[in-house]
Amino acid sequence: MKCAAIVAAGGSGSRLNPDTPKQLLPFGGCPLFLWSVNVFLKVKRITEIAVAVPADRIAQFQQAAQGIPNILWATGGVRRQDSVRAGLRATSSDLDVVLVHDAARPLITPQLVDLLIDTAHQYGAAIPVTPVTETLKAVLHSRVVRTLDRSGIFCAQTPQAFHREMLQRVFESVPPEQNWTDEASMLEFLGLPVAVIPGDRRNIKITYPEDFQYAECLLGQTSKE
Ligand code: C5P
């Protein structure tokens, strides 16, 4: 089986640092986006890795990845889905499964990736999810409207894995003007099934400055295991 990983690193990351995208910021000794690239490199079935980066930062990313062989560079777009589509275009058309991953999630493992590939190979699409642990409130104008039933509600992580051909067709079929925060939601829109596997609570998405510190703590724990 031949697979590709698409790393979405095309965002501005401006919530964290107005000058440098968060994907390039140092984390545990190397730029954040390289953590997931290095995990994908360990998975034998992944034969291609495409990284979508902001158009004006390509040289910086390439410099940061010096010495890492065969990265396919793609020019990211305004929205996440535009970056992922550019990454998909950079990959070969004869692949079985593609994984789409947020560069902002450095703490993935080869085990999680392997299980996603197997599950997507079997069912067409697979995503990791974790149960919601907090009580959910609907809020309007600074007031609680109601408490939502959290049973059956999960948080979606990345990587998300798909038959390549299907993901290609999905991108061609969904309304392009709509914003999608992940690829699975495009499949749901089209009525296509998406399988779930248990996500990893350590696979956090770095969004705010304190997330960096938390992820560094998790990294310390993981390396001791
Ligand atoms: O902004 P957010 O944290 O939701 O972004 C999730 C991932 O999508 C990040 O890794 C970010 O770099 C990527 N992204 C992208 N292209 C964009 C916007 C976000 O690749 N235009």
Side-chain angles (χ1 to χ4, degrees), residues 8-12 15 22-23 52 76-80 83-84 101-104 205-207:
S12 63
R15 279 167 294 194
K22 66 181 165 190
Q23 311 85 274
V78 175
R79 302 164 302 172
R80 182 183 180 284
S83 299
V84 172
H101 183 60
D102 292 336
K205 184 166 85 167
I206 293 183
T207 307

Side-chain angles (χ1 to χ4, degrees), residues 153-170:
I153 303 294
F154 291 80
C155 296
Q157 301 183 333
T158 71
Q160 301 192 346
F162 311 92
H163 283 177
R164 190 201 186 283
E165 199 201 316
M166 184 176 65
L167 188 61
Q168 178 82 45
R169 263 188 290 119
V170 163

